[in-house]
Amino acid sequence: MSPMKQMKQTTHPPDHRPADARNGAATAAPPQAGGRKRRRPASTQWAAWGFLAPVTLYLALFYAYPLYRNLDLSLRNYTVRSFVQGDAPFTGLENYRKVFDDPTFAPALLHTTLFTAVCLVFQYAIGLALAVFFHQHFRLSATLRALFLVPWLLPLIVSASTWSWMLNTDSGIVNATLHALGIGPVNWLTSPSWSLTSVIIANIWIGVPFNLVVLYSGLQSIPAGLYEAAALDGAGAWRRFWSITFPLLRPVSAITLLLGLVYTLKVFDIIWIMTKGGPADSSTTFATWSYQLGFGNLLPAFGPGAAVGNLLVVAALVFGLVHVRVQRKQALS
């Protein structure tokens, strides 16, 4: 076959498309100058705002506005009349000065600190022990774990009323048990020496299930291979706990303690139902004191009561910021 025939056979048919279409098919369109991103369609932006609107409205109505109102209450001299009419005079930090000068402030601060610290330590320690125990996956472990959630699921008024009956001096089951053991009765709820201990015991019982659930979930995320390797190296159960379990649970433990701290600082129901902060303010905390100032008297002191509540908010906020800062440092290291 001659070279001319080969050229005719290999020649492609003519392309009748426009020149810009032919050039576009051969080469891709160059990227936009400056690397600018395309703007999102308006429908996508409206959809994003639509999803954010309910959350923003909820936070504004149920968090931001109550905090603002509580701060406004603490900076003005509100009475029942001015509370209704809204013409309370501005007093600045006068209500805070009254709170700090009040003789109840020091005992309430001490009780709040003791109540919070003791409850956190025992709730975390007992919850962690139970979480490690149930992590063994023995028979009936799921059933027993579900039963331990009962204190957490009960309404607080039911739990507090039950503990009030159990710790009753005359007819309580605790004193009945002590009497059977040859021990005299204890005035759990009416003695200044025992009232704070009584509400601490009740609050520990209520808070243990929360720690159990969260810490048990954290244990589920630890690889079983680490325990197997440690066992092959001859590490005992106690050594495996301190070298593997406890360090790897540190992030979960931090958030558990933070949430427990915020909850325990504002505990009111249990203390008020069991002791009402008494006798003689022996179990008064900032939460019960704030309620007593604002609603527990014939002439309520709304300003000082709101000031005490703001002290609790500031305390919870400080611990929350410390937690965030520590977590950020650990993430960067």
Side-chain angles (χ1 to χ4, degrees):
M1 185 181 296
S2 64
M4 290 296 296
K5 292 181 177 180
Q6 292 180 357
M7 291 178 62
K8 290 180 180 180
Q9 292 178 357
T10 57
T11 302
H12 297 285
D15 192 351
H16 298 288
R17 293 179 300 170
D20 54 351
R22 294 197 301 268
N23 295 335
T27 60
Q32 296 180 356
R36 294 184 301 173
K37 297 181 180 180
R38 292 191 306 171
R39 297 181 60 184
R40 292 182 179 179
S43 59
T44 304
Q45 294 182 354
W46 280 111
W49 282 110
F51 281 111
L52 285 175
V55 179
T56 306
L57 184 63
Y58 172 79
L59 293 176
L61 288 178
F62 297 102
Y63 284 87
Y65 180 72
L67 286 175
Y68 162 74
R69 287 294 298 157
N70 203 57
L71 180 62
D72 180 69
L73 279 172
S74 67
L75 298 178
R76 296 179 182 274
N77 183 22
Y78 273 95
T79 61
V80 176
R81 184 187 63 82
S82 61
F83 188 83
V84 176
Q85 297 180 354
D87 56 349
F90 182 80
T91 58
L93 300 178
E94 179 64 22
N95 289 323
Y96 291 91
R97 187 191 64 79
K98 291 180 180 179
V99 167
F100 290 133
D101 293 341
D102 196 298
T104 310
F105 176 79
L109 177 61
L110 177 62
H111 298 157
T112 304
T113 305
L114 287 176
F115 181 82
T116 304
V118 175
C119 287
L120 280 182
V121 170
F122 279 92
Q123 286 175 353
Y124 177 79
I126 298 174
L128 179 59
L130 290 174
V132 173
F133 174 71
F134 286 119
H135 191 55
Q136 307 303 318
H137 299 293
F138 57 90
R139 184 178 296 181
L140 297 179
S141 63
T143 304
L144 293 176
R145 193 168 66 249
L147 291 176
F148 269 97
L149 296 179
V150 172
W152 193 28
L153 300 177
L154 288 175
L156 289 178
I157 188 172
V158 175
S159 300
S161 300
T162 303
W163 276 99
S164 296
W165 168 75
M166 293 174 59
L167 297 176
N168 186 274
T169 303
D170 301 322
S171 59
I173 190 174
V174 175
N175 276 348
T177 304
L178 294 177
H179 177 73
L181 297 175
I183 303 175
V186 177
N187 297 322
W188 296 100
L189 304 177
T190 58
S191 171
S193 303
W194 287 100
S195 59
L196 185 61
T197 303
S198 301
V199 294
I200 287 175
I201 293 173
N203 191 64
I204 290 174
W205 179 79
I206 293 173
V208 164
F210 170 76
N211 288 261
L212 167 61
V213 170
V214 179
L215 294 173
Y216 182 82
S217 301
L219 287 175
Q220 297 291 95
S221 63
I222 299 178
L226 296 177
Y227 294 104
E228 296 174 358
L232 291 176
D233 290 339
W238 193 248
R239 182 63 178 174
R240 292 197 299 269
F241 172 80
W242 285 109
S243 300
I244 299 176
T245 304
F246 194 72
L248 294 181
L249 273 181
R250 192 169 298 163
V252 179
S253 298
I255 191 64
T256 303
L257 292 173
L258 177 62
L259 294 176
L261 172 71
V262 173
Y263 166 79
T264 308
L265 279 175
K266 66 182 185 62
V267 167
F268 165 78
D269 318 64
I270 302 167
I271 302 175
W272 191 256
I273 293 173
M274 293 181 64
T275 65
K276 288 185 170 55
D281 294 333
S282 59
S283 59
T284 296
T285 61
F286 277 171
T288 59
W289 188 29
S290 176
Y291 178 82
Q292 287 175 336
L293 289 172
F295 305 99
N297 301 312
L298 293 176
L299 296 176
F302 294 117
V308 176
N310 285 333
L311 294 180
L312 288 176
V313 174
V314 170
L317 182 62
V318 168
F319 283 104
L321 293 176
V322 170
H323 168 74
V324 172
R325 186 175 182 84
V326 171
Q327 291 295 319
R328 186 175 298 174
K329 285 186 176 181
Q330 290 180 354
L332 295 177
S333 61

